[in-house]
């Protein structure tokens, strides 16, 4: 009975958001309103039922139809969007001879900012004097630690991880079956693009037919993307209500110092992103204004892959980044050089855990080793599944630190992962914008235009 009431409340809020849409309230405003209403609804549900009650479990199962369902729809369009956008960039002659330079710059920025993120993480952990031995381990934490030790057996060498990026079966990768599928699809699309350029030189009539077909498919896919993005306020509402309703505030309080230290580090790295934008001769204020909706969704959904369509639309429509560069930056950023998950997080864990085995975390050689290992590992995390968990396993294994101690943070993982995901997405957008600026391909008029193009528009 209570579950039905909770679902009806959610549906009434959705009807209210739809009413705002009919009244032509701006898309960005509706997204923000949905976020606030989701937080309020989640708090009310937790206060009435408690985070672990049966009513909350049943309610969340229904809320997931909208929240998780929306993320799945975004993931549905992500792979076709990446594939056809990169192929379309070749037909529009926006890639080709510059491909190597573009890919190299994007990778350099992604991995370079991850190394910087590691340094920030180390500094934050040191300032807050974090020590894993001071944290209490319950049964859930011990189980999590044991699970991490088992997963450490899946870690492969860097050469093997790089090989995993290659598309042995591109049709399998188009389904997103592997953790490295997105990059594999990028590589496959690039090969088809170069093949198209050869056809242009040898058979102009055939190339026109191919170009028309690609442009038609591109229009079709972008239409699907637009339809899905219009559901963003509903998705954020359900995701935020679920997240707040199921949050363990007692655990967050007990691990408050680690949560605070994590967010201080994440915010500092975000300011470094703004500094990079400024050094590129662009307005950081405009970056914040135009990326806010995308970063907000990344924050609430905790899914870089789910945020990819929003990421690409923001880069192309709001920042003036060419299609090809935006797709390379967004796709690579899913599994290479993740500033939050592969940079800040494993570096902080290393500093926390080091004292438990008698290592001085402030030793300069140890700090440099951690930064180096984090930077290299961030390039290969995708080979073993991606995400903060495997990034931490790789780094801790390489430093010969006990992996199980990372399990003590299981109760605050969702809260911290929200900030990490938003930072990952920001890092990929900064890579796309900066690369476009360096290569002279950024549409500066689009970037500086204060009028926001709605992400839900075709």
């Amino acid at each position: 009975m209570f579950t039905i009431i909770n679902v009806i409340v959610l549906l009434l809020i959705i009807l209210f958001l739809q009413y705002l849409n009919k009244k032509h309230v701006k898309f960005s405003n509706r997204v923000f309103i949905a976020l606030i209403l989701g937080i309020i609804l989640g708090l009310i549900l937790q206060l009435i039922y408690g985070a672990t009650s049966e009513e909350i479990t049943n309610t969340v199962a229904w809320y997931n139809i909208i929240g998780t369902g929306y993320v799945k729809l975004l993931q549905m369009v992500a792979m076709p969007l990446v594939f056809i956008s990169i192929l379309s960039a070749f037909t529009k002659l926006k890639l080709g001879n510059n491909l190597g330079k573009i890919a190299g710059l994007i990778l350099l920025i992604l991995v370079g900012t991850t190394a910087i993120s590691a340094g920030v993480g180390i500094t934050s952990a040191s300032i807050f004097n974090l020590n894993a031995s001071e944290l209490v381990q319950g049964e859930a934490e011990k189980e999590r630690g044991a699970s991490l030790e088992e997963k450490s057996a899946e870690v492969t060498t860097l050469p093997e991880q790089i090989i995993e990026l290659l598309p042995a079966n591109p049709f399998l990768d188009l389904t997103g079956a592997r953790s490295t599928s997105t990059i594999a699809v990028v590589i496959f699309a690039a090969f088809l693009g170069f093949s198209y350029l050869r056809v242009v030189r040898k058979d102009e009539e055939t190339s026109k037919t191919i170009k028309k077909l690609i442009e038609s498919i591109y229009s079709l896919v972008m239409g699907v993307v637009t339809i899905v993005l219009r559901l963003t306020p509903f998705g954020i509402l359900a995701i935020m209500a679920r997240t707040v309703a199921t949050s363990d505030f007692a655990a967050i309080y007990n691990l408050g110092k680690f949560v605070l230290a994590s967010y201080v580090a994440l915010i500092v790295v975000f300011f470094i992103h703004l500094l990079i934008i400024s050094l590129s001769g662009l307005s950081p204020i405009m970056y914040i204004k135009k990326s806010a909706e995308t970063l907000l969704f990344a924050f609430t959904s905790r899914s870089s892959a789910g945020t990819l369509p929003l990421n690409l639309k923001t880069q192309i429509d709001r920042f003036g980044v060419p299609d090809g560069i935006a797709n390379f930056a967004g796709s690579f950023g899913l599994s290479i050089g993740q500033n939050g998950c592969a940079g800040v997080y494993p570096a902080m864990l290393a500093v926390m855990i080091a004292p438990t085995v008698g290592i001085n975390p402030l030793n300069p050689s140890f700090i440099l080793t951690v930064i180096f290992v984090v930077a290299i590992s961030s390039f290969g995390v995708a080979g073993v599944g991606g995400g903060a968990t495997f990034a931490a396993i790789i780094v801790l294994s390489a430093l010969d630190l006990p992996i199980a101690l990372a399990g003590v943070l299981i109760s605050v993982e969702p809260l911290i992962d929200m900030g990490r995901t938003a930072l990952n997405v920001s890092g990929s957008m900064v890579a796309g914008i900066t690369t476009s600026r360096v290569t002279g391909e950024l549409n500066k008029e689009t970037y500086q235009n204060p009028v926001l193009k709605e992400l839900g528009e075709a």
Side-chain angles (χ1 to χ4, degrees):
M1 178 65 183
F2 289 113
T3 301
I4 295 174
I5 294 173
N6 298 336
V7 173
I8 290 174
V9 170
L10 180 71
L11 293 177
L12 288 174
I13 297 175
I14 288 174
L15 288 175
F16 172 68
L17 292 172
Q18 184 59 26
Y19 170 77
L20 295 180
N21 181 34
K22 289 182 178 180
K23 289 295 182 179
H24 305 293
V25 174
K26 287 180 61 177
F27 181 79
S28 56
N29 291 341
R30 283 185 282 122
V31 169
F32 183 73
I33 291 170
L35 173 71
I36 299 301
L37 292 177
I39 293 173
I40 294 171
L41 177 58
L43 285 172
I44 292 172
L45 291 174
Q46 176 155 152
L47 288 172
I48 295 175
Y49 305 109
T52 58
S53 66
E54 184 179 351
E55 287 82 4
I56 287 290
T57 301
N58 294 334
T59 298
V60 165
W62 286 98
Y63 281 18
N64 281 341
I65 294 176
I66 297 173
T68 305
Y70 174 65
V71 174
K72 284 186 175 292
L73 289 176
L74 285 170
Q75 292 171 334
M76 170 190 76
V77 299
M79 211 64 78
L81 177 60
V82 169
F83 175 75
I84 199 63
S85 294
I86 288 180
L87 197 50
S88 175
F90 276 92
T91 64
K92 296 172 183 175
L93 300 178
K94 292 183 179 180
L95 288 174
N97 295 331
N98 287 332
L99 181 61
K101 181 180 179 180
I102 289 169
L105 273 171
I106 290 171
L107 290 175
L108 179 63
I109 294 168
L110 288 173
V111 177
T113 51
T114 300
I116 294 171
S117 300
V120 173
I122 291 170
T123 303
S124 182
S126 300
I127 290 173
F128 282 87
N129 195 27
L130 299 180
N131 191 322
S133 62
E134 298 175 356
L135 303 178
V136 179
Q137 292 195 63
E139 287 302 316
E141 286 77 9
K142 290 178 181 177
E143 289 178 11
R144 172 66 168 170
S147 173
L148 292 178
E149 287 186 325
E150 289 177 8
K151 288 182 179 180
S152 66
E154 302 175 25
V155 175
T156 57
T157 63
L158 181 58
E160 290 173 325
Q161 293 164 11
I162 293 174
I163 290 173
E164 283 294 312
L165 301 177
L166 301 177
N169 184 345
F171 298 102
L172 176 69
D173 287 318
L174 282 167
T175 68
R178 301 187 303 138
S179 59
T180 55
S181 284
T182 307
I183 295 177
V185 167
V186 170
I187 294 171
F188 178 58
F191 270 100
L192 287 178
F194 282 118
S195 178
Y196 166 79
L197 295 179
R198 290 189 63 184
V199 174
V200 170
R201 291 193 295 268
K202 294 184 177 182
D203 190 343
E204 188 174 345
E205 285 303 314
T206 301
S207 70
K208 289 180 180 178
T209 302
I210 295 172
K211 182 177 181 179
K212 188 174 182 179
L213 176 63
I214 291 172
E215 289 176 349
S216 299
I217 296 174
Y218 178 81
S219 297
L220 191 63
V221 171
M222 288 308 298
V224 176
V225 170
T226 300
I227 293 170
V228 174
L229 290 183
R230 286 175 179 166
L231 303 175
T232 300
F234 311 137
I236 284 184
L237 167 68
I239 291 170
M240 209 63 218
R242 175 195 66 193
T243 301
V244 175
T246 56
S247 294
D248 187 346
F249 291 113
I252 293 171
Y253 176 78
N254 292 332
L255 291 170
K257 190 162 72 167
F258 179 78
V259 174
L260 179 60
S262 296
Y263 271 92
V264 166
L266 295 173
I267 291 169
V268 169
V269 176
F270 181 69
F271 275 106
I272 291 173
H273 288 173
L274 298 182
L275 178 61
I276 293 171
I277 292 292
S278 298
L279 293 175
S280 300
L282 300 169
S283 167
I285 302 300
M286 195 64 73
Y287 174 78
I288 294 173
K289 180 180 178 180
K290 293 191 171 186
S291 66
E293 288 166 49
T294 301
L295 297 182
L296 179 62
F297 178 74
F299 183 84
T300 54
S301 69
R302 297 167 49 204
S303 173
S304 296
T307 311
L308 184 59
L310 282 163
N311 182 340
L312 301 184
K313 286 276 284 181
T314 301
Q315 287 193 59
I316 296 166
D317 294 345
R318 291 186 171 180
F319 292 132
V321 177
D323 294 26
I325 295 178
N327 276 274
F328 268 96
S331 303
F332 283 176
L334 289 183
S335 46
I336 294 176
Q338 297 178 338
N339 290 182
C341 289
V344 171
Y345 183 65
M348 290 186 70
L349 283 182
V351 172
M352 284 178 61
I353 295 173
T356 67
V357 291
I359 297 176
N360 178 8
L362 298 181
N363 186 305
S365 63
F366 176 76
I367 292 174
L368 291 175
T369 301
V370 171
I371 293 174
F372 176 77
V373 170
V374 166
I376 296 299
S377 299
S378 74
F379 191 88
V381 168
V384 290
T389 298
F390 280 108
I393 289 173
I394 292 173
V395 171
L396 296 178
S397 297
L399 297 171
D400 199 25
L401 294 173
I403 296 168
L405 287 176
V408 298
L409 304 171
I410 181 175
S411 56
V412 294
E413 271 290 299
L415 177 61
I416 299 170
D417 195 42
M418 296 168 81
R420 291 191 311 229
T421 305
L423 191 67
N424 292 343
V425 173
S426 177
S428 68
M429 287 197 290
V430 168
I433 293 168
T434 307
T435 298
S436 302
R437 185 72 168 142
V438 171
T439 57
E441 297 186 51
L442 181 74
N443 187 328
K444 199 170 180 181
E445 289 184 8
T446 300
Y447 185 98
Q448 294 175 329
N449 188 350
V451 178
L452 296 185
K453 180 175 182 181
E454 301 290 1
L455 297 177
E457 291 181 359

